[in-house]
Amino acid sequence: MHETREWLLGGLVLIPILCGGIMAARVPKGIRNLLIVLGGMTTIACSILLALGGTQRIALHPSLGIAGAVLEPLVGALVCWIGLRIRSRLICAMAAMPLLLTLASLLTGNWAHTAETVVVIDSLSLVMVLIISIVGGLITFFAIGYMDQHEQHSTPTAMDGGSFLGVLVAFLGLMNGLVLTDDLRWLTIFWEATTLCSFLLIGYEGSLESNNSARRALLINTFGGTCLAVASFVAERDGHGTLSSLLTSSALLPLALMAVASMSKAAQLPFQSWLLGAMVAPTPVSALLHSSTMVKAGSYLVLRLAPALDATVLGGIISLAGAFTFAAASAMSISQSNGKRVLAYSTIANLGLIAACAGIHSPLAFAAALTILIFHAVSKALLFLCVGTIEQTIGSRHIEDMGGILFKMPLTTTVAIIGMASMMVPPFGMLIGKWMAIEASVDNPLILLLLILGSALTIFFWSKWLGRITTASYHHKYTIEKVSIWMSSILLIMGLAVLTASLGALPIQRYVIKPVSLSFFGQYGTRTSLSLLDSVDAFLGWPLLVVLGAILISVLVGSALFRKSHIRLPYLCGENVDTPEYSFIFRSIADTPSMALLNSYYLSRVFGEQRIEMICNPIAILIVISLFGVIFQ
Amino acid sequence: MIHLAGSIFSKLLSKPDTRRYPMERRPVAPGTRGHIDIEIEKCIFCGACQKRCPSNALEVSRDSKAWILNRYACIVCGYCVEICPKKCIRMNDTHHTPGA
Amino acid sequence: MLDNVTETTAEALPARVWQTRQEGYRFVTMTCTDLGDSHDILYHFDRNYSLRHFRLRLPRGECLASISSIFFAAILVENEIKDLFGIEFSGLAIDYKGRFILSDGAPLAPLNKSHAGIGMEIRNLTQAASKKEARS
Amino acid sequence: MITPNPTFQIALLILLAPFFGALIAGLDRKITARMQGRIGPPVLQPFYDVMKLLRKEPIVVNRIQVVYAFLHLAFMALSLILLVLGQDSLMFLFVFAFSTLALVLGGMCVRSPYSRIGSQREIMLMVAYEPVLIVLMIGMYLVNGSFLLASPIAAARPMLFTLPLIFIAVLVVLAIKLQKSPFDLATSHHAHQEIIKGLTIEYAGPYLAILEIAHFYEIALLFYLIMLFWASSLLIGALLACAAFFLMIIADNVFARLTSIWTFRFMWTGALILSLTNILWLYL
Amino acid sequence: MPAMSTFKKSPWVVHFNCNSCNGCDIEFLACLTPVYDLERFGILHVGNPKHADVLLVTGSVNHRNARVLRNVYDQMPAPKVVVACGVCAATGGIFADGYNVLGGIDKVVPVDVFVPGCPARPEAMIDGIIRAAEILESRNTAAITSVSCRKPLHRCTPVPDSPKPV
Amino acid sequence: MIRRNTIPFGPQHPVLPEPIQLRLVMEDEKIVEALPSIGYVHRGLEKIAEKKDYVQDVYLAERICGICSFMHSQNYCQGIESLMNVAVPDRARFLRVVWAEIHRIHSHLLILGLLADAFGFENLFMRLWQIRELVLDIMEKTTGGRVILGVCTIGGVKRDITPETSDYILRQLDEIERQLSAVLPSLTHDYSVKQRLVGIGVLPKDKAYELGAVGPVARASGVAMDLRESGYAAYGELNFAMVTESAGDCYARTLVRVRELATSADLTRQALAKMPSGPITTPVKGSPTGEVLARIEQPRGELNFYIKGNGSRNLERFRVRTPTFANLPPLLHMLTGCQLADVPVIAICIDPCISCTER
Ligand code: SF4
Ligand code: SF4
Ligand code: SF4
Ligand code: SF4
Ligand code: SF4
Ligand code: SF4
Ligand code: SF4
Ligand code: SF4
């Protein structure tokens, strides 16, 4: 079996990178699409095969270790060169760090420390690989249809569709590598490589705005990468070349550095700005970066660290930072009317939640984090794709412009409704995650408070949006959307996936997540948290099923009772104008018709983005600093 | 801060202020303008009331000896009562009942 | 009886109104009366319960400058006069376009003497209908 | 809690709860009227109203609205069942919240400005009171060591003694949920001044009846929730709940309506801090 | 469902002031207050025609409010009745001659009960509304489908969903 | 980015007993523009008055509006009397003051009740209107009408107040004051009420003057203006102190009305006490000629009638400028910048009477 495993690894990491590489060479469209399907399918197939094989350690050829040691400074140099080209001294300086460190390790003499490079396939990495390959793969398929249309109405750029899609596919490989490797050097390499890819993807449009965003993304993530590089250097100096050995040690500095790295990648406060900037990129990029890859690297890392945080103050602070991010990002999203930005803030918030749970250090919390991670990946990818489709059709990503789309774009909107419902409605997965998270945090009052406030705030923006897309005028006859088969089929698949995953939320809980978290925590867990986990397990599934049934019956009964003849104009104080076109015009000043408009509330004076940033960013920075304060205590 | 608190309890415990209208009828004040009536025997059909009625609610015809009140136009002002030379129009203190 | 009335002309009006405002008068209202060939327009101002009036003869069809930029309070009454007498005002701060108080289908300039102004036909209709009721 | 057979219990609940709720609503209207020096409607008036509404023409603005009405009802009934059967408290809260959310969405999905304003305000109210309810559940866990709603019943000491501050905060939530002054912002029978009937404005006839019935369930649910504070004795619990409801009527009659921003600020400072203080002393 | 007299027990009233001098309006409001207390008959004053069974109109119809009255009436779900309060609402009363008075409200909506008086006394209004509730009861539910929706809604054309305000 | 909302407020709107439409443009719930659309109760009364004879116009004038109907007939009669040089008997002048002040009490209670209703204080609304019924009882007992009194006539009044009814009025006034003392503190001192009134809809003094505010609206902004001081009817022979406030917000307007309740009761008592004996009406002959601007202080402020006679029984021109008409521009000023929740409160606080505004 050993051999097969290695091939699987190749399929997961190398094939996508290879496919991407070929595509970057401007191949014809047909071949390009073929390559995408090939790359995507291979990854999906390999990930499933890998998962079926269970957990295992695989030792690879030792030369890979040497290769890592060589590659690491090279990647650093590449970033450094880009930094020079975009004239950012800061990036240069930070990217030069790995070079210097390599030099330092050459001098100290523990260069190429490991005899063998190990790939650890444990339950966590399996879950990650599955998410990355399946969700990511589907997104790349979607991108085929999307970019077709996108290229039709946007000016061609330096990175035309071919190389763009190439980078997209290669990204999957890099991410898979990131979550599989146990070697700190390779981790750093993959980490930096994903940063580079995201830089290319965000800068795709070539406009001023996108260039700035790309640059910001590079800056922030290079900072994270540098932290990671320093962490790995320090760890190696102490003789821990691999993640697994590092985690068993009690070295705090590398842990803290890695936590910072994970925060920057997961766009936690105060690092959130790059993710918002990334919204300028075409929608598949946002979907990929936000749901299954990039940001999830941050969450992956912090989950990896979780067992080592064993009731340390460090864990508490990570948890606090996460919870704080959750509450603050939720608050900021209230004032957003741009659909993609709302999604971005919601992503940040949920990643915060994951970090908060990871820091709590209990099996229940870990299970909660994992649940959120999985369901978030699927739901968020779905939502991004929906917003992208909607934007292509109605030409706007503003929430207020999305009224009535249920009739214009029945398929996309239905899927979007499922996606949104899955973010906040029982019995969908996200809510179960949140539920577990709150129960898991009962012993940490501060974190609990932040979680409670945050989840109350999330209601605000989701319901606003959900209300808006289900709005329908009286009797609108719309021309129905036309969406390419690539896009519609993917939307459909993902919608069904969300539904089924939520249906199976409890079985997934019992058979997947609980074992994982036990395998990580079995020996550490405190009594109460274990019993809590059991109580989740003991929670009867029936209420969830009944809830789903209630939804179904309500929808059916409700729509069956409806008759067109029952339609009346809405109430406008008696001054309705019964024009055939609009149902919301009233006669006003001088008998002239006026349109009744009521947008949702954004409360920008209370929840304005800048206002909250001004308060929250400094606090977040203080939290990050205190992360280090703990070490030097 | 809350000044009504005391008095709501006294209201709660005391008899309601409601006049239970259809069940109990309260005596109206004398001189209430309810509706007008005619003592047709006394009327000489001079038409003065019709001419003066601000609301054009009256129709008097000398020939056919008709005195017709449109009670849905009468504003019960009592002007006709005042000016009638024969004092044959009476002001009644009860209201007209609604009609369909 | 009306005293303290000053006759004025359309040209001299704005300056006078401005001066009146400077003197601390408050705008009360305007009154328009149809005199057949012209409109008689009165501007009423008040200071400490004493009234001051300006009288203006506006020949039919002529336009009048709005004083709403001096006294914003005049905006409503000017729009009303526009509706009821058909006098155009130039420079109205808010122009209801002759649909301030009257609506589509209502008679135009009904307060002019030439307008009968009474809906007799309609009245007869309604009376006939309700008379039947009254008799029964 | 008395009858062991859950199916029987559920059936009983679904059938009887609305009657109970309607009765309370009727009493509420009667007492309010008497406090104003009026005779007021018969106590059974809410029944007549619903019966009448069911016989009216069902006019609507669009189809989704109807779906949301049913969702609201279904989830309200469901959350009552979860509550009475002593299920997980947070799950109960989520279901309960979604019920309100369905109502909000139903108000939002029509192109009627008043309905939408009502919805926006209801969302603000939800955001305002939801934390207090979650804190209540946390408090319950800290006291009873379990998230199951059945746990307070088994406990020996009434929760009122351990969670007095939270109880006060929950009373405020009760006022919001019953649309009582000073919080009758989003919809209410009597206060139609700003937005007429708020988010129910575009519902008519039977669909309005559905919302009314859902409200009856809600009343029953809130009544039970208050009873939990003295769960060891059914009688005292019921008396406690009655007292709380009576307090609401008094509040309704001595307060003016305040604004939504005021409510939000009050809930997130006053009420929340009050309940957190209570939680804190449980940690100590 | 047994033919319970539910309509009679809970007629909800929406009040519309057409061209009234306020005399009738304040008398209607007085009916709601403790001294007359309409709620003891289950009568609720609702602001929204969609919740109402009884449309109580004071004042006559003019060119501008005729359409409003019609809209309000149309938005009420069947079965519904109309009460015209005061002589203005019946015939135009003292204003019947006005150039802007089209006549009583029966010009625009079918009226079921006329309450005479200027202003109509609260007692008369109570009589009128109770009478209306009886009429409501007699209008059977089967008639619901015959709601007046004056014009067919055919001419529907697709429009952008959030057009700019006119 | 904030998008603007536009909603109609009226004409069929439960907070407005009368139809008027305000088109509100808002950012979230903050009003940035409010424009009125009126004409829903325009009956063409001025034209009708020209067609009826000048005595019938007394009844017409009463129906300019039912809330202060007496004031309208009083002002009309005073205008015609001055045109025709009729000397009204002293007793009639005092009787007019009695009814006018009782009318003011009823009107103020009415609007205070509606105000309570506008900020959602149902109990207060009910209580104030219940007390108002006591005032209506006085009117019914003394005039035979609850709302439209029909007692004022050219040359005097139609009904007398006997010593017994005078006693009755005094007793009833005491009862009203007793009951009010239980209710009014809630309107002026309750926390929740103040929260809704203090600082809402501020109209500074200079703006009030410039925009032509009248009556309690002007007095609440510190503009000392009350036509009763000019001494028409019998006011010259009675003592009264004008009520003013300076804050110019809804609370100040409420306070002005609350304090005027006491002034009016006091004036009624004075008028009843000082009531001279004698006839209550003088015969009137001929027809009015000439023009006059008759003015009077109504519950809502200064009421102007321009009356022009041409020697025939029909008037040449009858024009009505009511206080609400003057208070609309200040209302627009107050509404801009307020919250939607405050719109009903501010609107009710100017005591809007659309019926007389549009005639
Ligand atoms: S009225 Fe408007 S919404 Fe309705 S069908 Fe016609 S065009 Fe469509
Ligand atoms: S005025 Fe008198 S007498 Fe003459 S017609 Fe009229 S009722 Fe008859
Ligand atoms: S009471 Fe007045 S309205 Fe009635 S008929 Fe007599 S004069 Fe005419
Ligand atoms: S009937 Fe009389 S009181 Fe009623 S509105 Fe007409 S004029 Fe006014
Ligand atoms: S669609 Fe036609 S038939 Fe049907 S209710 Fe409307 S108007 Fe009548
Ligand atoms: S959609 Fe329009 S055309 Fe078709 S039935 Fe309905 S109203 Fe008539
Ligand atoms: S505000 Fe007053 S007048 Fe208006 S609807 Fe409500 S109770 Fe009636
Ligand atoms: S001010 Fe108002 S209450 Fe007074 S008469 Fe005019 S409309 Fe009526």
Side-chain angles (χ1 to χ4, degrees), chain A residues 473-478 569 578-584, chain E residues 153-159:
Chain A
S473 286
Y474 121 106
H475 269 254
H476 251 302
K477 286 239 180 75
Y478 295 103
L569 292 171
D578 198 355
T579 56
E581 290 86 15
Y582 309 106
S583 55
F584 38 92
Chain E
L153 300 165
H154 304 304
R155 302 153 300 145
C156 314
T157 44
V159 290

Side-chain angles (χ1 to χ4, degrees), chain D residues 14 22 65 81 89 118 160 183 199-201 210 216 231 241 272 278:
Chain D
I14 290 186
Q65 209 192 345
I81 294 170
S89 57
L160 187 60
F183 306 115
L199 31 62
T200 62
I201 194 169
I210 286 177
F216 296 154
L272 194 57
N278 204 151

Side-chain angles (χ1 to χ4, degrees), chain E residues 101-121:
Chain E
V101 175
L102 295 171
I105 59 163
D106 48 345
K107 289 266 171 318
V108 178
V109 291
V111 180
D112 300 278
V113 181
F114 291 97
V115 182
C118 177
R121 295 176 65 83

